[in-house]
């Protein structure tokens, strides 16, 4: 199945305004050459119940959402499709609160869960490692903490950031939460990702070695 997705909000609403249309779209993605039963490899099936297909030979039932981020979700697929379109069409990122407002969800927790699942799904498996010159620094994430500045913060999340140099600019980046600023945590948060050809900047080496 080639590139086949809505490019505008109007197209999204026209194509995926009902549950059946969403399920059939997922079925085409899952079985691009036609239905294949995972149990007997039968090629005949019919649709039964909500988003489920039954094999015409062994009668085995398969949900089109099984093994996907939609599995076990009680939300309609139409809501998931709107969420996916909104998240991928915003250039400046999306917050859980913004997603809740756009989708008209009654629970912030639901919006946060949707956003968390989508963000994890958008991480490309087997993505290329950083290479060349890579600079590393740490940052703290969280609200204002009374009486604490910088490394004195105790309740904020500690994040290590690695940025690949791209001429005078910044190329690809990697972020990871680490428990503390010890050498073991810094090396453990950095070294699994870079390639063998990677060179750390002088600023990075000094920071990691404590010199």
């Amino acid at each position: 199945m080639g590139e086949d997705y809505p490019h505008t909000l109007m197209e999204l609403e026209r194509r995926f305004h009902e549950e059946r249309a969403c399920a059939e779209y997922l079925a085409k993605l899952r079985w691009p050459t036609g239905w294949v039963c995972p149990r007997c490899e039968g090629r005949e099936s019919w649709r039964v119940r909500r988003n489920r297909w039954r094999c015409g030979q062994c009668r085995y039932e398969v949900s089109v959402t099984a093994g996907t981020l939609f599995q076990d979700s009680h939300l309609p697929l139409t809501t998931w499709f709107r969420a996916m379109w909104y998240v991928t069409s915003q250039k400046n990122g999306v917050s859980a609160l913004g997603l809740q407002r756009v989708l008209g969800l009654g629970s912030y927790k639901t919006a946060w869960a949707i956003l968390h699942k989508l963000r994890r799904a958008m991480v490309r498996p087997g993505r290329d490692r950083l290479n060349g010159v890579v600079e590393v620094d740490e940052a703290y994430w969280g609200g204002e903490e009374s009486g604490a500045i910088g490394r004195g913060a105790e309740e904020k999340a500690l994040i290590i950031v690695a940025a690949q140099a791209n001429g005078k600019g910044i190329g690809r980046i990697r972020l990871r939460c680490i428990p503390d600023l010890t050498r073991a945590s810094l090396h453990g948060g950095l070294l699994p990702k870079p390639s063998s050809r990677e060179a750390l900047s002088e600023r990075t080496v000094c920071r990691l070695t404590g010199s």
Side-chain angles (χ1 to χ4, degrees):
M1 186 175 181
E3 183 178 295
D4 179 30
Y5 54 84
H7 295 274
T8 66
L9 179 60
M10 294 295 291
E11 185 180 355
L12 172 76
E13 294 297 338
R14 177 178 57 81
R15 293 184 56 184
F16 303 113
H17 64 282
E18 60 181 6
E19 193 80 357
R20 186 180 186 89
C22 297
E24 289 178 350
Y25 180 79
L26 293 179
K28 290 180 181 179
L29 292 176
R30 186 160 194 160
W31 303 295
T33 59
W35 158 270
V36 178
C37 178
R39 176 175 290 181
C40 71
E41 298 186 353
R43 305 288 298 187
E44 296 182 0
S45 68
W46 63 88
R47 185 174 178 176
V48 294
R49 292 185 290 173
R50 179 180 181 266
N51 306 329
R52 299 182 70 88
W53 271 254
R54 177 179 296 168
C55 177
Q57 294 185 25
C58 68
R59 299 297 191 270
Y60 182 67
E61 291 188 10
V62 179
S63 172
V64 73
T65 61
T68 72
L69 73 165
F70 314 117
Q71 181 176 325
D72 300 326
S73 174
H74 298 292
L75 291 173
L77 287 175
T78 51
T79 299
W80 276 105
F81 274 49
R82 292 186 179 104
M84 289 188 294
W85 189 89
Y86 180 71
V87 169
T88 56
S89 65
Q90 302 302 304
K91 294 183 179 180
N92 298 322
V94 174
S95 68
L97 183 59
L99 186 63
Q100 179 188 7
R101 291 172 177 170
V102 169
L103 298 180
L105 299 173
S107 169
Y108 172 84
K109 184 178 180 180
T110 299
W112 184 91
I114 292 175
L115 191 57
H116 180 68
K117 283 189 174 184
L118 292 178
R119 284 172 174 168
R120 291 192 63 180
M122 287 190 292
V123 176
R124 179 167 55 88
R127 58 184 177 175
D128 297 335
R129 294 179 176 181
L130 301 182
N131 55 61
V133 177
V134 176
E135 293 195 359
V136 180
D137 205 348
E138 85 277 358
Y140 289 86
W141 182 268
E144 185 175 350
E145 190 173 330
S146 178
I149 300 177
R151 296 191 177 186
E154 297 180 355
E155 299 181 0
K156 297 181 181 180
L158 179 57
I159 301 172
I160 187 172
V161 184
Q164 178 178 308
N166 183 16
K168 295 183 179 181
I170 297 176
R172 297 175 299 149
I173 64 172
R174 297 287 185 269
L175 296 89
R176 180 179 298 181
C177 287
I178 56 176
D180 50 51
L181 286 171
T182 61
R183 179 176 301 198
S185 295
L186 287 170
H187 283 212
L190 170 69
L191 295 182
K193 289 298 182 183
S195 69
S196 59
R197 301 186 301 276
E198 182 177 70
L200 300 180
S201 70
E202 181 179 353
R203 173 166 168 261
T204 298
V205 173
C206 290
R207 181 178 296 278
L208 295 181
T209 59
S211 58

